[in-house]
Amino acid sequence: MTKKILVISEIRDGEFRNVSFEAIAAAKQISANAEVVGVAIGEKVQHMADELIKYGADKAIVVEDEKLANYTPDAYSQALMQVIEQENPDGILIGHTVIGREIAPKLAARLDSGLVSDVTALEVDGDEVIFTRPIYSGKAFEKKVIKEGILFASIRPNNIAPLEKDDGRSGEVVNVDVEI
């Protein structure tokens, strides 16, 4: 079963997008015993890291750099690849947003990994995680299972309920320096 799941959060206008918390909830559905690691990336995001923990992450990684103040696919993917290589996760979840749709395939290609995109639901059957995603403009749904390699998926916003915020929850916050 999955031991560590990296959740790549997304920040817009100084706040986490709700899909970041939905992805944390999805990670907990995949494996209640896995270490869920939230990643906050940008400029001056240190003060936000505890929010990831309050919504269920066990640990938060902060990647701050002035070059990450505004999203660019090259800078973000370079920074995230360094975090992924350092953390060596068994699974990666990201929101299926404009940014997620652009960066997830880049990361998957660099990792030589598959990617299940636009996930609206998931279920666990033994050691298999079964992802549900819409096809044919939402007129049908297909179920996908990743048989080997890193479990990598993008979560469609507003489909998986986030966990209840727990202001008493605490966890480790780690700053990671990256080269961009």
Side-chain angles (χ1 to χ4, degrees), residues 5 23-36 55-58 93 163 169:
I5 303 173
I24 291 171
K28 292 290 189 180
Q29 285 180 22
I30 291 169
S31 178
N33 298 325
E35 178 185 21
V36 176
Y55 276 97
D58 300 303
L93 298 178
L163 300 173
R169 201 164 191 288

Side-chain angles (χ1 to χ4, degrees), residues 70-131:
N70 296 309
Y71 169 76
T72 63
D74 290 337
Y76 269 54
S77 61
Q78 283 179 14
L80 288 169
M81 275 306 297
Q82 291 173 58
V83 171
I84 292 167
E85 288 168 357
Q86 178 181 319
E87 289 296 313
N88 193 28
D90 301 294
I92 302 171
L93 298 178
I94 189 169
H96 191 74
T97 62
V98 171
I99 291 174
R101 286 191 303 264
E102 183 171 35
I103 203 165
K106 269 181 168 291
L107 294 173
R110 288 185 181 171
L111 294 167
D112 196 25
S113 170
L115 169 67
V116 180
S117 63
D118 203 16
V119 172
T120 57
L122 59 93
E123 57 190 272
V124 178
D125 183 15
D127 284 344
E128 286 188 334
V129 180
I130 304 163
F131 295 101

Side-chain angles (χ1 to χ4, degrees), residues 6-26:
L6 205 65
V7 175
I8 301 169
S9 68
E10 187 175 328
I11 299 168
R12 181 191 289 165
D13 299 327
E15 293 185 10
F16 286 111
R17 293 207 46 199
N18 200 49
V19 71
S20 303
F21 307 131
E22 294 167 10
I24 291 171

